[in-house]
Amino acid sequence: MSPYHFLLLIISITLSFIFIYAHNDGFSVELIHRDSPNSPLYNHNESDFQRSTNMLHRSINRFNSLALIPQPIITNSGGEYLMKYSIGSPPVEIMGLLDTGSDLIWLQCEPCISCYHQSSPIFDPIDSDTYEDIPCSSVQCREVLGKTNCSSSSCEYGITYTNNGFSKGNLAFDTLTLRTSGSSSIKFQKMFIGCGHNNKGPLSPGFSGVIGMGFGLTSLVSQISLSINYKFSYCLTQTQTTSKLNFGANAIVSGLGVVTTPLAFGLAPTFYYVSLEGVTIGSRRIEYFITKKENSTTIKGNLNGNLKGNMIIDSGTALTFISKRIFDEIQSTIRLLLKLNTVRDPLNLGRLCYNNPSLVLQRTPYVTLHFAGRADVELHQSNIFFPMSPRTLCLAFAPTVSDTGILGNIAQTNFVVGFDRKKRTVSFKRADCTKY
């Protein structure tokens, strides 16, 4: 048993176990893109161009927090998909921002010292029969958060965001309910949550808080890992159609066309790292190397547990960020193959942009990402170019000088992406996520 699974077992026992009114057959829930008309963040006054521009600006900010500043006290600045869930007994439905780059489920709570506007009523713990504050002196506070002292009797948390937002409050247990895509409900008792009494922007108004999906012990998938056999997957869309988040047996990715790569290790234990070995455009393969700054030698990872990661899989970042050397070679190869006149990049990232979308999509070459373990993920045209306006398409990749890149959600659109946290693998399978 790995140290991670051993610690998870200890914490699960310490938390008096998570009692589950559920089954092991698997279940799925719906995700809403934040720019969908069904989202509380949807702005009717914005054009599609403004929404695209805002999404990609958020993508740049998020990359800066995930890949460039992987410090545990600084978390990312948001995400792109929302999920409804209920908290408390009787259950109160709220909407949280799904985040594969953080480790805590937190929500705004009464009494509010400072709270931003949200579309649903703010949760009041007094009204929940199953709410229970976690004392500062408890084993849970010490072992889960490493707390050795508190300014009050409650176990307190504080999350600082790279965009100057924050959430502060106390940690507690309560019942969390998920409504499945089949309209049934699954309850998880004694879930570890953060009750935020002091929350400040620029967190986007509308949603209640964040649903952490990372590798840390307090994330949603970590807390329910025993009931879902350590598996979850998603199938994302960039349209008004809802996306799917799957757990347990529903999360298994199987059948023709599935490729699987090991999850790797990186600087921040929260994130889902993989090792990208190369990129092929048309018939040209470009090798991707991970270098170690201390001695400028290539790190030779292997598939037996010590593979070094150079890319984070993240559902909350739109663009795919990749080493500038690789990015430049990708761009020059695509430019050569398309043989079309380019236009200025609206975001000034130096990306290829064109004003004749139909011709671009006809000529777009095959692009394949080669991950460790011979996992070759062939991208569709919609994973490679993204519409900035009805007339303008731009490359959905961006350059970075960091050793660590991000596989963004545009590149993941219309793939089932499945995580097996016990086997430490991630699988990809092409799918129509509007019908999944």
Side-chain angles (χ1 to χ4, degrees):
M1 180 179 290
S2 70
Y4 169 79
H5 293 118
F6 180 70
L7 183 57
L8 180 58
L9 180 62
I10 291 176
I11 297 301
S12 296
I13 295 172
T14 303
L15 297 182
S16 303
F17 196 72
I18 302 167
F19 294 96
I20 301 163
Y21 297 112
H23 46 73
N24 291 321
D25 295 336
F27 60 96
S28 301
V29 297
E30 293 184 341
L31 301 179
I32 302 170
H33 196 283
R34 63 184 293 161
D35 286 335
S36 161
N38 297 323
S39 164
L41 305 179
Y42 183 77
N43 186 343
H44 294 271
N45 297 320
E46 286 182 343
S47 66
D48 289 341
F49 169 72
Q50 288 172 313
R51 291 189 191 96
S52 296
T53 301
N54 291 340
M55 181 181 74
L56 298 184
H57 277 302
R58 291 193 302 268
S59 182
I60 295 167
N61 291 336
R62 184 171 170 89
F63 169 76
N64 289 335
S65 66
L66 289 181
L68 298 182
I69 321 173
Q71 301 176 37
I73 61 168
I74 300 179
T75 59
N76 63 70
S77 53
E80 294 297 317
Y81 293 90
L82 303 166
M83 187 179 84
K84 289 181 180 179
Y85 69 101
S86 297
I87 198 74
S89 302
V92 176
E93 187 176 79
I94 56 178
M95 187 173 286
L97 192 67
L98 196 78
D99 187 5
T100 52
S102 65
D103 289 330
L104 181 66
I105 307 166
W106 70 264
L107 60 148
Q108 297 199 118
C109 290
E110 299 285 4
C112 270
I113 299 172
S114 173
C115 287
Y116 56 85
H117 171 74
Q118 67 180 55
S119 55
S120 58
I122 293 175
F123 176 68
D124 192 339
I126 293 178
D127 297 330
S128 174
D129 294 335
T130 48
Y131 180 88
E132 179 186 347
D133 276 323
I134 296 176
C136 176
S137 58
S138 68
V139 174
Q140 296 94 331
C141 192
R142 293 197 306 272
E143 292 191 358
V144 176
L145 291 188
K147 291 272 190 179
T148 56
N149 56 71
C150 296
S151 59
S152 70
S153 59
S154 297
C155 186
E156 299 172 324
Y157 78 92
I159 297 177
T160 302
Y161 291 87
T162 50
N163 56 7
N164 297 320
F166 61 82
S167 177
K168 297 178 182 179
N170 57 283
L171 295 167
F173 294 130
D174 209 339
T175 298
L176 186 148
T177 304
L178 296 178
R179 183 171 294 278
T180 71
S181 53
S183 298
S184 61
S185 294
I186 298 178
K187 291 185 178 181
F188 299 92
Q189 287 187 346
K190 227 169 174 56
M191 289 289 283
F192 198 82
I193 63 169
C195 222
H197 302 289
N198 189 356
N199 315 291
K200 190 171 182 180
L203 297 169
S204 298
F207 62 90
S208 176
V210 171
I211 305 165
M213 293 284 288
F215 248 123
L217 296 170
T218 58
S219 75
L220 174 63
V221 286
S222 290
Q223 292 193 65
I224 67 173
S225 61
L226 296 177
S227 70
I228 61 174
N229 198 22
Y230 300 90
K231 296 179 178 69
F232 75 97
S233 69
Y234 50 71
C235 199
L236 304 178
T237 72
Q238 295 287 336
T239 67
Q240 298 178 9
T241 308
T242 55
S243 301
K244 286 287 180 64
L245 175 63
N246 313 297
F247 298 94
N250 285 24
I252 297 173
V253 186
S254 61
L256 190 64
V258 176
V259 297
T260 301
T261 186
L263 284 170
F265 292 89
L267 292 175
T270 294
F271 306 143
Y272 297 96
Y273 289 94
V274 288
S275 178
L276 181 66
E277 296 182 338
V279 181
T280 293
I281 303 99
S283 60
R284 184 190 175 197
R285 173 159 174 152
I286 305 162
E287 298 298 332
Y288 196 122
F289 300 104
I290 313 171
T291 58
K292 191 173 183 181
K293 289 185 176 181
E294 294 85 58
N295 55 18
S296 298
T297 59
T298 301
I299 295 176
K300 300 288 185 180
N302 61 50
L303 307 186
N304 298 319
N306 64 343
L307 189 70
K308 305 298 182 180
N310 60 1
M311 183 161 279
I312 298 166
I313 301 179
D314 183 48
S315 63
T317 306
L319 292 171
T320 290
F321 289 85
I322 198 164
S323 156
K324 187 177 186 305
R325 179 184 66 83
I326 303 297
F327 173 82
D328 289 343
E329 294 194 50
I330 290 172
Q331 287 226 123
S332 62
T333 305
I334 291 178
R335 184 198 298 268
L336 184 65
L337 293 173
L338 288 183
K339 296 185 174 71
L340 296 171
N341 294 326
T342 62
V343 296
R344 187 184 68 84
D345 179 358
L347 294 183
N348 295 318
L349 293 175
R351 301 172 301 157
L352 287 176
C353 295
Y354 298 94
N355 267 354
N356 35 13
S358 60
L359 197 54
V360 170
L361 295 179
Q362 287 175 23
R363 297 186 184 181
T364 299
Y366 291 107
V367 174
T368 302
L369 306 178
H370 304 288
F371 294 104
R374 297 184 180 179
D376 298 334
V377 178
E378 186 178 299
L379 302 182
H380 188 264
Q381 290 96 325
S382 60
N383 303 122
I384 302 166
F385 282 97
F386 184 75
M388 297 296 299
S389 72
R391 284 184 48 82
T392 305
L393 284 178
C394 291
L395 199 66
F397 290 74
T400 173
V401 295
S402 170
D403 287 340
T404 304
I406 289 181
L407 183 68
N409 61 50
I410 296 175
Q412 297 178 64
T413 299
N414 287 324
F415 282 95
V416 183
V417 183
F419 299 82
D420 188 324
R421 289 157 51 104
K422 190 172 187 178
K423 293 182 178 178
R424 291 195 61 89
T425 61
V426 58
S427 300
F428 299 86
K429 182 182 181 181
R430 168 65 65 183
D432 182 351
C433 292
T434 64
K435 301 176 182 177
Y436 182 76

